[in-house]
C-alpha cells in the first residue's frame, strides 16, 4: 500500500508540473505589439529598393489624394514621372475615416495604373502589387518592384523598434536606390 501511495503521489507531482507547461502552448490568437507607423514608414523608406530616388512630395501630396477625409495628413515620397515608385503615409482624424481613405488610395492606384499603362507599361506590375497596410488611423502604401521585401517588412512590422519620434517631414533625406546617377547628377555633386 505504501508503494501504491508513493506512485500516486509521484503521478500527481508529474501532472502538476506538466499541466502548466501545456497551458503555455501555442496561443491561437497571440497578442502582437501595436505597430509604430513612423517606424514602419521609415523601414519601408530605408530597406526597400526603389528604381529611382524618392523625394518628399511636400504639401502637393494632399492634392494627389483629393478625396481624402477632412483633416487627413499625407506624407508622400515619390520618384520622377518615369517611375511609379512611391511611399505614402496617410494619418486620419478618426478610425471612421478609413473606408473613405482606402477608397481614395484605390482610386489613386487605379489612376496611376492607367497613366503608366498608356506610356510606360513596364511600371504597371509594381502598381498592381502595391503593398497597403492599415492599422487604426494610419494607412501606408508602398509601390515598388521590391514588393516582396515590402510585404515582409509590413508582415514583421510589430517587431520593428521605434517610438514614433522620427521626423517624417525631413525634406533632406535621400533614399539609396538601384538607379545609376546621370552625368548631370555627377557633375552637380
Amino acid at each position: 500500500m505504501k508503494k501504491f501511495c508513493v506512485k500516486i503521489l509521484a503521478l500527481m507531482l508529474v501532472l502538476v508540473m506538466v499541466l502548466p507547461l501545456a497551458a503555455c502552448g501555442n496561443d491561437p490568437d497571440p497578442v502582437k505589439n501595436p505597430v509604430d507607423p513612423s517606424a514602419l514608414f521609415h523601414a519601408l523608406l530605408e530597406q526597400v529598393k526603389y528604381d529611382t530616388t524618392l523625394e518628399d512630395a511636400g504639401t502637393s501630396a494632399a492634392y494627389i489624394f483629393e478625396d481624402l477625409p477632412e483633416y487627413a495628413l499625407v506624407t508622400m515620397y515619390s520618384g520622377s514621372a518615369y517611375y511609379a515608385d512611391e511611399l505614402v503615409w496617410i494619418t486620419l482624424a478618426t478610425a471612421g475615416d478609413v473606408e473613405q481613405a482606402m477608397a481614395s488610395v484605390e482610386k489613386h492606384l487605379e489612376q496611376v495604373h492607367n497613366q503608366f499603362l498608356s506610356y510606360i507599361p513596364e511600371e504597371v506590375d509594381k502598381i498592381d502589387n502595391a503593398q497597403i497596410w492599415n492599422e487604426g488611423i494610419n494607412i501606408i502604401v508602398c509601390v515598388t518592384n521590391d514588393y516582396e521585401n515590402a510585404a515582409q517588412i509590413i508582415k514583421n512590422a510589430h517587431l520593428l523598434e521605434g517610438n514614433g519620434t522620427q521626423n517624417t517631414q525631413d525634406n533632406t533625406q535621400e533614399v539609396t536606390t538601384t538607379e545609376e546617377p546621370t552625368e548631370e547628377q555627377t557633375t552637380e555633386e
Side-chain angles (χ1 to χ4, degrees):
M1 175 83 167
K2 185 176 181 181
K3 286 185 181 184
F4 180 72
C5 288
V6 171
K7 287 180 182 181
I8 295 291
L9 183 59
L11 181 61
M12 288 175 38
L13 286 173
V14 168
L15 288 175
V16 167
M17 292 172 34
V18 170
L19 286 177
L21 293 176
C24 294
N26 291 339
D27 186 0
D29 189 21
V31 177
K32 293 182 180 178
N33 294 332
V35 174
D36 177 356
S38 178
L40 175 57
F41 183 82
H42 283 84
L44 290 167
L45 189 61
E46 296 163 5
Q47 297 173 23
V48 170
K49 293 177 185 166
Y50 298 94
D51 292 338
T52 185
T53 301
L54 298 184
E55 296 182 13
D56 190 345
T59 56
S60 64
Y63 299 110
I64 294 171
F65 295 91
E66 59 191 42
D67 296 338
L68 283 176
E70 194 172 19
Y71 305 116
L73 302 174
V74 180
T75 302
M76 180 175 184
Y77 283 73
S78 60
S80 70
Y82 299 106
Y83 298 95
D85 300 67
E86 63 185 25
L87 181 61
V88 182
W89 176 11
I90 301 169
T91 304
L92 304 166
T94 69
D97 294 336
V98 170
E99 188 175 328
Q100 182 181 351
M102 290 299 282
S104 181
V105 166
E106 293 296 331
K107 179 180 176 184
H108 166 70
L109 290 173
E110 183 180 337
Q111 288 172 340
V112 172
H113 170 97
N114 292 336
Q115 291 168 355
F116 276 97
L117 189 60
S118 300
Y119 71 102
I120 307 177
E122 299 82 26
E123 293 292 299
V124 171
D125 186 50
K126 64 175 83 169
I127 300 163
D128 292 343
N129 288 294
Q131 299 300 306
I132 303 172
W133 170 85
N134 168 240
E135 185 175 286
I137 60 169
N138 294 285
I139 299 170
I140 295 180
V141 181
C142 183
V143 178
T144 176
N145 273 331
D146 193 17
Y147 54 84
E148 290 175 346
N149 183 30
Q152 190 63 40
I153 291 169
I154 291 170
K155 180 179 177 184
N156 295 327
H158 65 282
L159 303 174
L160 291 173
E161 292 183 21
N163 58 12
T165 60
Q166 296 168 314
N167 181 5
T168 59
Q169 300 301 322
D170 183 6
N171 294 335
T172 61
Q173 181 175 3
E174 288 190 6
V175 180
T176 305
T177 66
T178 58
E179 180 180 65
E180 295 294 322
T182 63
E183 184 177 326
E184 185 179 291
Q185 289 172 327
T186 56
T187 58
E188 290 177 357
E189 294 174 4

